[in-house]
Amino acid sequence: MTHLLSGRGRPALQRLAAHPSPGRRGARRRTAPAAGSAIDPLWYKDAVIYQVHVRTFCDSNGDGIGDFRGLTSRLDYVRRLGVNAIWLLPFYESPLKDDGYDIAHYERIDARYGTMDDFRCCLAEAHRLGLQVFTELVINHTSDQHPWFQASRLAPEGSPKRDYYVWSVTPDRYRDARVIFNDVEPSNWTWDPIAKAYYWHRFFSHQPDLNFDNPKVRRAVLKVMRFWLDKGVDGLRLDAVAHLYEREGTSCENLPETHAFLREIRTEMDRRYTHRVLLAEADQAPAVTCEYFGQGDECHMAFQFPLMPRLFLALKREDASPIVSIVRSTGEIPPTAQWALFLRNHDELTISALTDDERRLMFALYAPEPRMRLNLGIRRRLAPLLDNDPARIMLAFSLLLSLPGSPVIYYGDELAMGDNVGLNDRDGVRTPMQWTAGLNAGFSETVGPLTQPVIDDAVFGGAEVNVDAQESDQQSMLWRLRRLIAARAQSQVFGRGTIEFLTVGGGEVLAFLRRYQRETVLVVANLSLQPRTCEVRLPTELAGASLRPLVAGGEAGTLTLDGDVVTLAPSEFRWLRVSQ
Ligand code: BGC
């Protein structure tokens, strides 16, 4: 049992399901002191991040909704995966029409998830375990229930309160901006009968966009940032950050004004705090995504949106070239910048930045049924996307963990959890974490309804896929991923090194060198579903080097390096330390 006392002497947390405390194997490599903030200013370069949703991770009080106390009781599980950071989806007061990205109060915890003390307790326990914590800074928009919007719609035109949001008497402004949630929203403008004007929103119509031309809004946003940094969070994910400003005749994305404000945010962060990090969510073309790093003076990290769908293209086409070309085109970033790599997350797998042909292919390959699609994306989890084939899933994880950047693992994917495409919007990939084969998969003790139904099909249901079962099977996905993460932790080349692709003849095998300081690691990955033999020619300066496995990750077979010739089993990958 984990004993955690809040400042006011809160009773000890109860562990929900019988789940043996497994010790601290993965906790040896710590980049952070127990007190909270990291010691190394570049800690985020070595981060392996676990993305978790308080609502669906663990319910401590039997009301069917996950909460902070539940999450806190499970942090040792998270740490034992070997990750050293967590990213929490929004947990602020919200009507939950967009799962918390519709914020009604920036400085309050939604009561369904617990109290501010529960949050503090969770943060302290995460830090004690050596986990840095990312939270969300959702500043592009608020909920229409936010007091700022309620005041704005009543305030006289031209007043500072009115100007908190973007109003117009006509819906004809900013015609060049695309509608992002085009399945449900016909326009970026919605009429408000109280204000007697249209308000601007890039996402749902219940999420009005804040007006960043108003200096009071910018100051209010900086205050929200300080509020959470003062609590001790280590990183902030900047949601929907490409859309902050609007200008006529533009797409209203990635505008210079947005970048100027990001520099202001960064300056404020660096002026007051040490070793805190900004992570940009900007789903854009490669060169445009890179702009979110600025000259090292905007965001420290940005999601590698350009790479993500190309990883899936490469896997299904059994062809390494989409990976090679996109990594080359996003290669040059400032020395302090870092990509956040991901396979899946809480949203649809977005393919909006692909070409029409690539998009058609992705839909055909990964979303054959219309209900698997949403907007310009695919609402499925990792395991179903990869036909629940353990070798393919591990291959995908091996790429996630070895390409340049800091990997982000979406909760449940470490178990190969399934999805439920019958649920609304993106809820099908946000179902409860599966802990046991028991009631509600161990997520909640309630006999009443759950915040989201647990997956219950024959293949992916809680009875089949759960932490308990995988803990006791060393060949489970959970253990295999743990071993892979532990292998990654042996070398800083993965988080900090350069990448150099090797020509191996035939496009089905991906081979690259990662180098950092005096270390070199060779990665070879067979994307084919057939065994492949190919030639791996190391650069001349590495001729005669010995190759020592860092991890044995393939399904079967051994790596044979006969001269330059390598034989790989289907979907096999190898990480090899190159020593001279
Ligand atoms: C979040 C989505 C959300 C949208 C609008 C995105 O960037 O990831 O889940 O629906 O912002 O807030």
Side-chain angles (χ1 to χ4, degrees):
M1 183 181 295
T2 308
H3 290 273
L4 289 173
L5 294 178
S6 78
R8 293 188 202 146
R10 192 173 296 286
L13 282 171
Q14 300 295 313
R15 206 169 277 287
L16 281 179
H19 184 68
S21 182
R24 293 271 150 68
R25 278 171 130 244
R28 257 176 288 139
R29 184 170 167 275
R30 292 168 54 134
T31 53
S37 296
I39 300 168
D40 181 348
L42 295 180
W43 63 268
Y44 52 94
K45 292 216 168 207
D46 304 315
V48 180
I49 304 166
Y50 188 74
Q51 180 190 353
V52 63
H53 198 0
V54 180
R55 182 167 72 88
T56 52
F57 204 58
C58 183
D59 168 19
S60 76
N61 60 0
D63 65 357
I65 305 170
D67 47 48
F68 272 109
R69 290 174 157 228
L71 169 61
T72 308
S73 73
R74 295 297 191 176
L75 284 177
D76 62 342
Y77 163 81
V78 174
R79 190 62 181 95
R80 234 167 64 78
L81 193 54
V83 304
N84 48 19
I86 56 173
W87 153 28
L88 302 178
L89 289 174
F91 48 76
Y92 317 101
E93 198 172 282
S94 162
L96 294 188
K97 286 186 175 173
D98 183 17
D99 209 5
Y101 284 97
D102 47 330
I103 295 176
H105 203 298
Y106 279 114
E107 298 177 6
R108 287 190 199 148
I109 305 284
D110 194 289
R112 284 163 280 201
Y113 304 147
T115 63
M116 190 60 88
D117 272 349
D118 294 337
F119 168 78
R120 279 200 199 94
C121 201
C122 185
L123 185 64
E125 176 65 354
H127 284 163
R128 192 185 71 76
L129 291 169
L131 295 166
Q132 311 297 148
V133 178
F134 286 84
T135 58
E136 295 265 356
L137 195 59
V138 186
I139 57 175
N140 177 66
H141 48 267
T142 68
S143 160
D144 59 8
Q145 301 306 303
H146 197 292
W148 294 345
F149 186 71
Q150 294 302 323
S152 177
R153 66 206 303 217
L154 291 169
E157 240 175 273
S159 66
K161 275 196 176 162
R162 176 75 150 212
D163 282 348
Y164 255 60
Y165 294 84
V166 183
W167 296 98
S168 169
V169 288
T170 153
D172 289 331
R173 293 167 70 201
Y174 313 136
R175 282 275 169 209
D176 298 327
R178 66 188 164 130
V179 174
I180 296 168
F181 287 168
N182 58 7
D183 281 5
V184 283
E185 295 295 344
S187 162
N188 287 321
W189 291 106
T190 290
W191 175 255
D192 182 51
I194 294 178
K196 298 200 171 29
Y198 294 91
Y199 60 90
W200 178 249
H201 54 86
R202 290 311 301 273
F203 295 92
F204 289 118
S205 56
H206 56 75
Q207 287 167 317
D209 277 29
L210 285 165
N211 175 17
F212 279 82
D213 280 320
N214 181 346
K216 281 187 190 295
V217 167
R218 297 199 298 273
R219 279 199 294 275
V221 160
L222 291 177
K223 180 174 166 285
V224 173
M225 175 179 90
R226 290 194 301 270
F227 180 85
W228 291 103
L229 292 177
D230 286 344
K231 296 259 173 298
V233 306
D234 305 282
L236 294 168
R237 173 186 181 270
L238 292 172
D239 181 66
V241 73
H243 311 283
L244 302 189
Y245 283 83
E246 302 73 37
R247 291 291 179 263
E248 208 55 76
T250 74
S251 66
C252 298
E253 296 183 23
N254 319 302
L255 296 179
E257 292 83 349
T258 294
H259 288 285
F261 185 57
L262 281 175
R263 286 191 290 277
E264 209 177 317
I265 291 185
R266 174 67 180 267
T267 304
E268 177 74 351
M269 181 180 242
D270 289 350
R271 191 167 69 84
R272 291 179 177 251
Y273 307 92
T274 48
H275 311 339
R276 312 297 178 97
V277 166
L278 295 169
L279 165 56
E281 190 224 13
D283 177 13
Q284 302 291 329
V288 181
T289 311
C290 292
E291 285 170 9
Y292 285 84
F293 299 122
Q295 306 297 313
D297 55 357
E298 294 187 27
C299 295
H300 305 75
M301 303 180 79
F303 284 103
Q304 232 300 13
F305 274 101
L307 172 64
M308 183 274 296
R310 276 133 184 142
L311 284 173
F312 284 96
L313 269 181
L315 284 168
K316 223 37 152 201
R317 281 171 33 186
E318 302 175 44
D319 171 14
S321 61
I323 299 176
V324 177
S325 56
I326 205 72
V327 171
R328 284 199 171 126
S329 68
T330 51
E332 286 303 313
I333 59 175
T336 54
Q338 178 74 328
W339 290 114
L341 305 180
F342 65 108
L343 294 167
R344 289 298 298 112
N345 63 19
H346 62 295
D347 286 329
E348 70 274 27
L349 188 169
T350 166
I351 48 177
S352 60
L354 296 182
T355 63
D356 287 347
D357 281 350
E358 288 172 328
R359 207 176 294 147
R360 266 193 293 276
L361 187 63
M362 282 293 285
F363 275 143
L365 294 173
Y366 286 108
E369 295 176 37
R371 64 193 187 137
M372 295 171 173
R373 304 175 186 182
L374 183 73
N375 305 319
L376 286 183
I378 299 167
R379 49 183 192 152
R380 301 182 74 193
R381 262 191 183 266
L382 182 65
L385 283 169
L386 298 180
D387 307 315
N388 202 23
D389 174 344
R392 297 307 270 179
I393 299 170
M394 282 308 293
L395 177 61
F397 277 132
S398 84
L399 298 173
L400 176 77
L401 288 158
S402 62
L403 287 165
S406 294
V408 183
I409 297 163
Y410 185 49
Y411 84 93
D413 281 351
E414 75 275 22
L415 306 175
M417 257 173 66
D419 53 40
N420 180 352
V421 289
L423 296 179
N424 189 37
D425 196 2
R426 291 147 290 176
D427 289 350
V429 300
R430 301 171 180 177
T431 60
M433 178 70 175
Q434 295 172 194
W435 298 101
T436 71
L439 175 71
N440 301 324
F443 161 71
S444 169
E445 284 176 338
T446 186
V447 288
L450 297 177
T451 180
Q452 208 67 264
V454 172
I455 301 285
D456 67 355
D457 63 59
V459 177
F460 294 107
E464 302 304 320
V465 177
N466 64 71
V467 173
D468 267 4
Q470 297 201 16
E471 281 286 0
S472 55
D473 173 6
Q474 292 280 321
Q475 290 315 311
S476 64
M477 187 62 61
L478 176 61
W479 272 107
R480 290 161 72 181
L481 184 58
R482 273 183 188 151
R483 288 193 287 270
L484 199 58
I485 296 172
R488 188 182 194 277
Q490 289 171 36
S491 173
Q492 283 187 309
V493 294
F494 296 108
R496 303 196 184 208
T498 57
I499 187 163
E500 189 181 327
F501 290 103
L502 303 180
T503 313
V504 285
E508 293 157 319
V509 175
L510 177 67
F512 53 86
L513 291 171
R514 303 295 317 272
R515 302 197 211 208
Y516 180 64
Q517 294 174 347
R518 296 166 66 84
E519 275 186 281
T520 304
V521 170
L522 167 66
V523 173
V524 279
N526 180 10
L527 304 190
S528 170
L529 290 162
Q530 304 299 322
R532 283 290 170 255
T533 297
C534 62
E535 254 185 274
V536 176
R537 273 188 206 290
L538 293 178
T540 41
E541 74 274 15
L542 295 175
S546 71
L547 300 175
R548 207 158 31 87
L550 206 59
V551 66
E555 274 303 275
T558 49
L559 179 86
T560 327
L561 193 57
D562 176 11
D564 294 330
V565 177
V566 167
T567 303
L568 293 163
S571 308
E572 184 178 5
F573 64 89
R574 291 284 160 156
W575 295 356
L576 301 153
R577 206 189 275 281
V578 183
S579 327
Q580 280 179 307

